[in-house]
Amino acid sequence: MQVPAGTLLQRINSPADLKQLSEAQLEEVCRELRQYIIDVVSVNGGHFGASLGVVELTVALHYVLNTPYDQLVWDVGHQAYGHKILTGRRDEFHTNRILNGLSGFPKRGESIFDTFGVGHSSTSISAALGMAVASHYKGEDDRQHVAVIGDGAMTAGMAFEALNHAGIENSNLLVVLNDNNMAIDPNVGALKEYLTDITTSKSYNRFRDDIAYVLNKLSAVGPDAFKIAKKIEKSIKGTLLKQSNFFEALKFRYFGPIDGHDVKHLAKVLRDLRDIPGPKLLHCITVKGKGYALAEKDQTKWHAPGLFDKITGEIKKVVYDKPQPPKYQDVFGLSIIELAEQNPQIMGITPAMPSGCSLNLMMKAMPNRAFDVGIAEQHAVTFSAGLATQGLIPFCNIYSSFMQRAYDQVIHDVAIQNLNVVFCLDRAGFAGADGATHHGAYDLAYMRCIPNMTVSAPMNEEELRNLMYTAQLPGMGPFAIRYPRGNGVMIDWQRPFKAIPVGKGRKITDGEEIAILTIGAIGNEAVKAVGLLNQQGYYPAHYDLRFAKPLDAALLHEVFTNYTKVITVEDGCLQGGMGSAVLEWMADHKYNAEVMRLGIPDHIIEHGEQPELWAECGFDANGITAAVQQMGMVKQKHIIAS
């Protein structure tokens, strides 16, 4: 649904149009931009609070910088809606995050103003530094390079690595620290405390204002006086903060903190910083959800609230007249508490996604046994490994796509030492509207090639519980459990725990001629397909493998002995996935069958709702039905008993 923009915003189709306005008009632009984001997101959905919090910063950056010649990199991209609207995409913004519409994140293929594709956190400083070094190499020393990074993303190791490198390059780089004390959930860790110390130190902030006045006066006297004053400034900064300034220790010039909602002052500061060479950091204090009272009050809830009434703030949810299956993440969150009550060795770990993966339930119930370690996937895995060396059983819950960032730690710190770390890979398969950066497409392939690793996927909520139970039993090593975003299929799911034999699948439906092999929740699409096919007189068999590693040898012997045609179905990449594993097994055991593999093809799949993407890739119920028919299955006149 398209909504009208304000009077000034309607005139802005690029930053060049923004620059035609006076500074006095910028506040009105900010008001209209903020209202436009509220209007559009309330009826179309999307990320909300983060973009509201950087409206003034976005306007000031595009007002001062010469984008796209000057390179502007947004970290993560949750906060880049205003950027998209000001850079020629206002009239398309209502298509944000829907199939074939705008991406929810900056994307190089979408606009020349999107200098770097993002979605995962903490990449902006590295990318902007690379651009700055490249510009210097090409003799483009007038080019500005700006990385906008939140204090949540600043907690990740990659951001520190980039800061450490940038400090010695002396490149034309400005890091804008958008400090709102939030990621999706409240930030944690020592850096948060350090930034709070800076922003709340009355002595430091009073000194900061005074020294700016003094330096301005001394600069007119001469360069020597200015250098002496700078040394005095650095010394007093450290004294007033009772510690050295962290960023200046890395050879960054530190400026701030300043009010991130004063657009005129932001524009003035950015204009001044443009003329200062070398690496610089501007510390801006903002409020996530600024301008929408409910979003300011409950910032986690309003990170991505879905559709809502912008007047009353009522979040619109579908009301059902009967109970519905739970989300898989909630099955995890409730089940780990039950398991932890039975087993005192169980611990819970998440890298900054406690509400997204529902570990927040355990953090509330058992605060000394559940840890949010910040946006730090590598640390989360090795921290879990350390716990496991001491006889504890960590359940390390990381989104499938985020686990990619900790792959070395999975191998080096967990698998080689054969430690019982349970990896719960949420958002496996298609993540939906978040798109390519968040799809959990590769975990079956990248996990099954690791020695000592068990790789499993439940078909429903009860199996998720039972796999979690199985993973913490004595004698288990590294154990991966993948499950999708969204709701399951069972109402009565909270049943007593049962152990599942590792590497043991199950037959769902007997049949003739063709066997369908599935793994995980996408098997429910195969159940629908079998129902459709039965109505048409086709009766394929259906097997749920449960495990991509180890494979169920007895089940596969049965399949390849009795069926000449086999279809494998997975919501993961075809290269190296479950279908590949089955083909390898078939070749190793000298069977000969016609095999068709359905899964995510070898190209990037963009955003859309999960069923839309399953259909696009041909492994929804209709796609599976078509595959069976394509294989030339003969219609039967009788029903095969289940």
Side-chain angles (χ1 to χ4, degrees):
M1 176 181 176
Q2 199 163 2
V3 298
T7 304
L8 289 179
L9 192 59
Q10 285 181 353
R11 294 160 49 186
I12 300 173
N13 296 307
S14 74
D17 297 325
L18 178 64
K19 294 176 190 297
Q20 299 304 310
L21 303 178
S22 67
E23 282 199 15
Q25 293 175 295
L26 295 184
E27 289 182 354
E28 176 60 20
V29 171
C30 292
R31 190 195 68 77
E32 291 183 10
L33 180 57
R34 179 170 278 113
Q35 188 60 50
Y36 189 70
I37 293 171
I38 293 170
D39 290 345
V40 175
V41 175
S42 67
V43 296
N44 294 317
H47 295 104
F48 187 61
S51 284
L52 293 186
V54 295
V55 164
E56 289 79 10
L57 179 59
T58 304
V59 170
L61 284 166
H62 280 296
Y63 191 71
V64 172
L65 295 176
N66 180 26
T67 55
Y69 180 73
D70 290 340
Q71 303 279 280
L72 176 57
V73 183
W74 297 91
D75 208 277
V76 183
H78 289 153
Q79 76 278 47
Y81 286 5
H83 160 79
K84 288 186 176 242
I85 293 165
L86 294 176
T87 55
R89 288 166 279 182
R90 180 192 63 243
D91 293 342
E92 298 174 86
F93 188 60
H94 67 285
T95 70
N96 186 47
R97 289 166 52 89
I98 67 173
L99 188 68
N100 301 320
L102 293 180
S103 169
F105 303 99
K107 180 181 176 184
R108 281 171 56 84
E110 188 176 288
S111 170
I112 59 172
F113 291 94
D114 292 357
T115 60
F116 200 74
V118 292
H120 293 190
S121 84
S122 316
T123 62
S124 61
I125 304 174
S126 298
L129 177 60
M131 295 171 187
V133 169
S135 293
H136 178 68
Y137 177 75
K138 294 188 292 183
E140 300 168 345
D141 291 323
D142 61 331
R143 206 168 194 181
Q144 305 294 313
H145 309 85
V146 180
V148 182
I149 183 169
D151 52 323
M154 190 67 89
T155 64
M158 189 174 178
F160 291 110
E161 293 166 17
L163 289 170
N164 184 52
H165 182 195
I168 64 169
E169 284 297 338
N170 198 32
S171 297
N172 192 9
L173 173 69
L174 171 62
V175 175
V176 178
L177 176 56
N178 171 36
D179 183 359
N180 59 23
N181 200 29
M182 286 289 293
I184 294 176
D185 293 280
N187 288 331
V188 298
L191 180 65
K192 182 203 78 168
E193 304 298 335
Y194 173 76
L195 294 176
T196 301
D197 286 345
I198 293 179
T199 58
T200 58
S201 171
K202 294 180 180 178
S203 299
Y204 172 71
N205 284 284
R206 186 166 57 247
F207 160 75
R208 177 204 64 196
D209 296 334
D210 292 343
I211 200 67
Y213 174 80
V214 172
L215 289 177
N216 186 52
K217 294 295 184 183
L218 285 175
S219 63
V221 176
D224 290 339
F226 186 83
K227 289 178 182 177
I228 292 170
K230 284 305 299 173
K231 290 181 180 178
I232 295 171
E233 176 198 16
K234 184 177 290 187
S235 174
I236 298 176
K237 275 183 179 179
T239 301
L240 291 175
L241 288 173
K242 299 184 178 62
Q243 55 194 308
S244 298
N245 183 285
F246 171 79
F247 302 107
E248 294 197 346
L250 292 172
K251 302 188 183 302
F252 270 73
R253 290 286 306 280
Y254 172 86
F255 299 89
I258 67 171
D259 181 358
H261 298 298
D262 185 340
V263 67
K264 293 180 182 177
H265 188 226
L266 279 169
K268 178 183 183 302
V269 171
L270 289 169
R271 195 174 290 113
D272 291 342
L273 293 181
R274 190 174 54 186
D275 300 324
I276 297 176
K280 305 166 288 291
L281 186 137
L282 176 62
H283 186 178
C284 298
I285 306 303
T286 64
V287 176
K288 188 173 182 179
K290 179 71 173 178
Y292 194 78
L294 292 172
E296 292 184 34
K297 184 177 180 180
D298 191 341
Q299 296 174 338
T300 298
K301 179 179 179 179
W302 288 87
H303 173 74
L307 308 186
F308 61 95
D309 185 315
K310 67 183 180 182
I311 305 300
T312 66
E314 179 187 1
I315 295 176
K316 299 176 181 178
K317 296 184 177 180
V318 179
V319 178
Y320 298 97
D321 57 3
K322 57 183 179 180
Q324 295 296 304
K327 292 181 178 180
Y328 281 100
Q329 68 179 66
D330 291 335
V331 174
F332 164 83
L334 294 168
S335 297
I336 194 172
I337 294 174
E338 288 184 60
L339 287 171
E341 289 171 344
Q342 299 176 17
N343 186 343
Q345 276 68 50
I346 287 177
M347 312 291 274
I349 298 92
T350 181
M353 299 302 295
S355 61
C357 75
S358 295
L359 191 69
N360 58 344
L361 303 176
M362 185 181 185
M363 292 172 69
K364 183 177 181 180
M366 304 175 175
N368 64 327
R369 295 174 63 184
F371 302 89
D372 175 3
V373 302
I375 303 177
E377 293 86 1
Q378 293 172 304
H379 166 63
V381 171
T382 304
F383 173 64
S384 298
L387 292 171
T389 66
Q390 302 305 303
L392 300 180
I393 304 173
F395 278 70
C396 184
N397 191 307
I398 302 182
Y399 286 10
S400 170
S401 63
F402 297 167
M403 179 59 83
Q404 295 159 192
R405 315 185 84 184
Y407 192 57
D408 177 66
Q409 286 69 29
V410 172
I411 297 171
H412 184 275
D413 300 332
V414 177
I416 289 177
Q417 302 185 89
N418 199 25
L419 296 173
N420 185 199
V421 175
V422 183
F423 296 110
C424 294
L425 306 183
D426 199 339
R427 271 56 167 187
F430 287 131
D434 281 336
T437 58
H438 285 60
H439 293 328
Y442 311 110
D443 54 83
L444 284 171
Y446 71 62
M447 282 297 193
R448 81 174 187 89
C449 64
I450 301 175
N452 294 327
M453 182 69 69
T454 296
V455 184
S456 66
M459 189 169 161
N460 56 45
E461 301 93 309
E462 183 182 17
E463 287 204 336
L464 173 55
R465 283 171 56 79
N466 290 337
L467 285 169
M468 291 174 65
Y469 174 76
T470 302
Q472 52 89 54
L473 293 174
M476 296 296 170
F479 203 114
I481 308 171
R482 75 184 306 263
Y483 52 91
R485 169 183 171 270
N487 294 78
V489 294
M490 297 179 67
I491 304 298
D492 180 23
W493 61 273
Q494 208 159 6
R495 301 172 182 176
F497 291 115
K498 295 179 181 178
I500 295 177
V502 172
K504 185 66 175 175
R506 59 178 181 147
K507 182 190 294 184
I508 304 295
T509 307
D510 207 347
E512 291 186 354
E513 194 176 351
I514 291 179
I516 302 170
L517 307 183
T518 65
I519 187 166
I522 200 66
N524 294 293
E525 289 297 300
V527 170
K528 296 176 187 175
V530 170
L532 292 172
L533 288 161
N534 288 172
Q535 294 173 16
Q536 300 170 28
Y538 300 100
Y539 297 93
H542 177 200
Y543 293 83
D544 168 28
L545 286 182
R546 281 200 189 116
F547 294 89
K549 182 181 180 181
L551 291 170
D552 187 338
L555 182 152
L556 291 177
H557 278 301
E558 176 183 324
V559 167
F560 286 105
T561 299
N562 293 292
Y563 300 93
T564 58
K565 299 175 182 180
V566 174
I567 298 173
T568 65
V569 184
E570 58 196 305
D571 57 346
C573 63
L574 287 171
Q575 280 69 23
M578 177 272 283
S580 293
V582 170
L583 284 175
E584 293 163 11
W585 189 95
M586 183 183 77
D588 289 344
H589 292 82
K590 297 180 173 52
Y591 285 105
N592 185 17
E594 181 183 350
V595 178
M596 178 185 294
R597 293 178 301 143
L598 303 182
I600 300 176
D602 188 23
H603 63 259
I604 300 301
I605 306 298
E606 301 296 349
H607 54 282
E609 295 302 315
Q610 287 166 304
E612 293 174 330
L613 300 181
W614 296 339
E616 178 182 325
C617 294
F619 56 81
D620 64 343
N622 289 331
I624 297 168
T625 299
V628 169
Q629 294 169 336
Q630 183 181 334
M631 291 194 91
M633 188 174 192
V634 178
K635 283 188 178 183
Q636 304 294 325
K637 294 183 179 180
H638 59 283
I639 297 177
I640 305 298
S642 297

